[in-house]
């Protein structure tokens, strides 16, 4: 019978979890990253949000260069999407840093 202190078996790595982060000065009381979520899922969502930011920037670039209308709501959406993706990435980073210290 082997004793745990003498075992050479490797322990499975734990997946990093999110830590709480609020984001955006205008909506920090409404939206926040809660603890315990999957860091991998948060990074996946952040990548999707950044894709949306890129698409909106391309649309605004075309609109402004060709004299079309650009809307304030599009600029506010860019800010929200950027703030949300940054909060998700920061939360995942802090979760990864915390799991590496254990």
């Amino acid at each position: 019978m082997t004793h745990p202190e003498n075992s050479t078996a490797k322990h499975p790595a734990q997946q990093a979890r999110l830590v709480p982060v609020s984001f955006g000065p205008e909506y920090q009381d409404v939206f926040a990253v809660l603890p315990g979520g999957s860091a991998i899922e948060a990074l996946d969502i952040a990548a999707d949000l950044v894709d949306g930011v890129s698409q909106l920037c391309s649309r605004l670039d075309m609109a402004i260069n060709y004299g079309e209308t650009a809307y304030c709501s599009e600029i506010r959406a860019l800010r929200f999407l950027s703030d949300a993706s940054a909060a998700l990435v920061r939360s995942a980073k802090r979760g990864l840093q915390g799991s590496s210290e254990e």
Side-chain angles (χ1 to χ4, degrees), residues 2 6 9 12 15 19-20 28 31-32 37 42 46 52 54 61 65 67 72-73 78 83 85 100 102:
T2 62
N6 295 333
Q15 183 177 1
V19 296
Q28 63 186 343
F31 297 103
S54 178
D61 176 47
N65 282 328
C72 290
S73 59
L78 287 172
D83 287 347
S85 57
S100 67
E102 294 174 354

Side-chain angles (χ1 to χ4, degrees), residues 9-94:
K10 297 186 182 204
H11 297 286
Q14 288 186 335
Q15 183 177 1
R17 307 311 277 174
L18 297 177
V19 296
V21 174
S22 27
F23 61 97
E26 294 176 6
Y27 29 77
Q28 63 186 343
D29 293 334
V30 180
F31 297 103
V33 178
L34 299 177
S38 167
I40 298 299
E41 288 178 25
L43 292 172
D44 202 28
I45 292 168
D48 289 342
L49 294 176
V50 171
D51 287 343
V53 168
S54 178
Q55 290 173 7
L56 265 173
C57 287
S58 293
R59 200 216 79 69
L60 287 170
D61 176 47
M62 294 296 289
I64 292 167
N65 282 328
Y66 293 105
E68 296 176 15
T69 304
Y71 298 97
C72 290
S73 59
E74 292 173 310
I75 302 301
R76 284 192 294 267
L78 287 172
R79 180 178 177 196
F80 177 80
L81 293 170
S82 298
D83 287 347
S85 57
L88 289 167
V89 170
R90 283 192 185 106
S91 179
K93 178 185 175 205
R94 292 175 188 166

